[in-house]
Amino acid sequence: MSDATPIGPPESAAAMVVALRSGATSSRELVERALDREQAWRSQTNAFSQVWADEALADAARVDRAMAAREELPLLAGIPVVVKDLFDVAGHETTGCCAAFAGRVADRDAVVVQRMRAAGLVLVGKANQHELAAGGTNQVSACGATGNPWDPARITGGSSGGSAAAVASGVVPWALGSDTGGSIRIPAALCGTFGLKPTWGSVSLEGAMPLAPSMDCPGPLAATAVDLWLLYEALAGSHVRVPDAGWIELPDGRAPRVALAQGFYEAFVHPDVAAAVARAAEALAGAGVEVTSIDGRGIEDSRGVWSRVCFPEFDAAHPDLRSPPKRAQVAPSVLEWLDRGHAYPEQEIADAAARRTQIAAWYRERLAGFDAMLIPTCPYPAPPAGASQVDLGANGMVETDTVGPGFITCTVNLAGLPAVNLPAGRASDGLPVGVSLVGLDGHEETLCRLAARWEAATS
């Protein structure tokens, strides 16, 4: 363990590591606090689909006994975490919060869960999610809708909405989510947390229920940028280390370069989100980052392309859901995704695959010479549950079916690139807003360093 003081507030996971190793707290105390907070927030957020109090307390007790005996333990041993209901945890149901999968008990852990256990984390339960990850609101779930901790009458975003709500409400310092069209970054933005969509393929999908396997991506949500990096390292199976304050610098010592993308990223954006992007650019520039505006036009068709990639893969991944007994247990909006995927002509699917390649090239061309691209995360702050329209001010009223929470985020999934949501302050009504940094393949650490630099600059 590093002797350096980690970046982050007292409730950060990194600070919990220090407190545990110094004897200032115990794993049992941290888990008990998580369980107490989950119970206190349950009626407002409904963030958990399963809570494993006895199991978590037993695991925490084992960590505490090992620490008392001065046994060598993984750095993150004893810190509580919650797992999205999309991932297998041995002995527990994996339903994707869909009634059609009730009773589906996993006989082994997903690879990412194995890695979290190997890192010493204590699993306190499973997080509620949008049914089968097929949506961006977390209002559709066999476990009930998830409420935003800032205003339970508003959406958390999804599909990792329960994971974001659990972190935002302080139940746990971090959580496991997944991202196919923005499912980590959307709820991170709307609930005010950090969230990382890694490079596609950098984190194992084995043991995860599929949505669209060519875009599905496990990843972390966390209270701080350093916590985000620590959990990502654990999920990727890397050696975990607590960075010090100097970690925000790039290894080669040069000033980071960030491209501020315009065009597409301005057309359907709420004024408060646009203001957050401008503030983030200013904060990064003030922290020694070279920020340069670039042309963001050319990917306006991304949402339609994404649908023609995602929906057929979703349909192919769940053929059993076409049969009447199962079909009756699936939400109508999720069935619509399945049915549309089943009906797309082969030529449309092939055309979408070709266009996807062009969109991926578009991102890589514009990132050439830059460390990241700065864009909005969601077009607007969290709307009320069930809202069919959102007022974007000068950009007019938009239908949420047309410009949904994932309207911007899904473009990055087509490219397979990593992206991190920064909790970029508050809208005029006090709700969180988020901005994203998109990076080059395999540059998760660079993104987290930039996120930590922005975090330090904005306090």
Side-chain angles (χ1 to χ4, degrees):
M1 174 178 165
S2 168
D3 292 328
T5 301
I7 304 168
E11 291 297 320
S12 73
M16 290 179 182
V17 169
V18 174
L20 271 171
R21 294 301 176 111
S22 69
T25 190
S26 66
S27 179
R28 182 180 180 89
E29 288 172 341
L30 294 177
V31 171
E32 285 179 339
R33 183 168 61 185
L35 294 170
D36 288 346
R37 288 182 175 179
E38 186 281 324
Q39 190 171 38
W41 278 95
R42 185 179 300 172
S43 63
Q44 298 176 70
T45 63
N46 189 36
F48 282 63
S49 60
Q50 302 173 42
V51 178
W52 309 322
D54 292 343
E55 185 176 324
L57 289 169
D59 288 344
R62 281 192 285 273
V63 171
D64 290 337
R65 287 195 296 271
M67 284 194 171
R70 299 189 179 278
E71 295 178 18
E72 187 173 347
L73 290 171
L75 178 65
L76 306 182
I79 310 299
V81 69
V82 63
V83 177
K84 185 177 180 178
D85 207 334
L86 210 65
F87 297 94
D88 286 345
V89 176
H92 297 284
E93 281 188 323
T94 305
T95 70
C97 293
C98 177
F101 291 97
R104 180 180 180 270
V105 176
D107 58 6
R108 60 180 297 181
D109 289 336
V111 168
V112 285
V113 174
Q114 293 173 22
R115 288 175 176 171
M116 287 194 294
R117 290 195 195 276
L121 298 181
V122 176
L123 280 59
V124 297
K126 282 198 170 183
N128 198 352
Q129 63 167 81
H130 201 107
E131 182 172 305
L132 296 180
T137 67
N138 252 67
Q139 291 297 295
V140 179
S141 168
C143 301
T146 313
N148 194 310
W150 294 88
D151 179 353
R154 294 178 181 266
I155 69 169
T156 57
S159 61
S160 306
S163 297
V167 174
S169 57
V171 174
V172 287
W174 49 23
L176 174 63
S178 68
D179 194 311
T180 306
S183 288
I184 288 171
R185 292 160 289 152
I186 295 165
L190 300 189
C191 293
T193 76
F194 288 89
L196 174 66
K197 173 221 168 302
T199 305
W200 183 84
S202 67
V203 180
S204 175
L205 282 167
E206 185 180 338
M209 294 183 75
L211 175 57
S214 77
M215 295 187 291
D216 293 345
C217 197
L221 299 95
T224 73
V226 164
D227 287 356
L228 197 71
W229 173 244
L230 291 175
L231 186 51
Y232 170 73
E233 284 191 302
L235 297 176
S238 304
H239 172 68
V240 179
R241 64 199 187 282
V242 175
D244 60 24
W247 180 72
I248 64 175
E249 304 296 334
L250 296 184
D252 56 12
R254 63 178 174 81
R257 298 193 68 219
V258 168
L260 174 58
Q262 298 172 326
F264 168 73
Y265 299 103
E266 300 171 308
F268 295 101
V269 173
H270 190 281
D272 290 342
V273 176
V277 173
R279 287 196 306 269
E282 183 179 357
L284 287 167
V289 177
E290 296 178 16
V291 180
T292 304
S293 295
I294 65 166
D295 186 353
R297 294 173 297 178
I299 54 171
E300 289 74 12
D301 60 339
S302 292
R303 178 65 188 186
V305 174
W306 182 87
S307 297
R308 284 163 175 78
V309 173
C310 178
F311 296 172
E313 289 190 22
F314 183 37
D315 174 63
H318 296 287
D320 293 349
L321 297 183
R322 294 195 207 112
S323 63
K326 293 288 186 183
R327 188 176 174 85
Q329 297 175 296
V330 180
S333 62
V334 178
L335 286 176
E336 182 182 353
W337 281 32
L338 290 163
D339 291 344
R340 286 175 64 185
H342 197 63
Y344 278 136
E346 288 298 321
Q347 188 58 52
E348 280 195 38
I349 296 171
D351 290 346
R355 178 59 181 144
R356 176 186 185 179
T357 300
Q358 295 172 346
I359 292 170
W362 182 97
Y363 270 101
R364 289 171 177 84
E365 288 168 3
R366 280 153 183 77
L367 277 165
F370 291 100
D371 297 291
M373 181 188 295
L374 176 61
I375 62 174
T377 302
C378 289
Y380 35 74
S388 60
Q389 292 185 318
V390 175
D391 187 352
L392 299 184
N395 285 331
M397 297 290 293
V398 295
E399 301 289 331
T400 53
D401 284 346
T402 303
V403 180
F407 185 76
I408 296 170
T409 52
C410 69
T411 64
V412 181
N413 295 84
L414 290 170
L417 295 172
V420 60
N421 176 73
L422 311 179
R426 304 284 171 259
S428 54
D429 57 6
L431 293 169
V433 290
V435 303
S436 286
L437 291 170
V438 182
L440 294 163
D441 300 85
H443 284 217
E444 287 80 5
E445 184 167 8
T446 298
L447 289 180
C448 288
R449 286 174 186 263
L450 282 168
R453 182 184 287 246
W454 170 86
E455 185 180 24
T458 58
S459 302

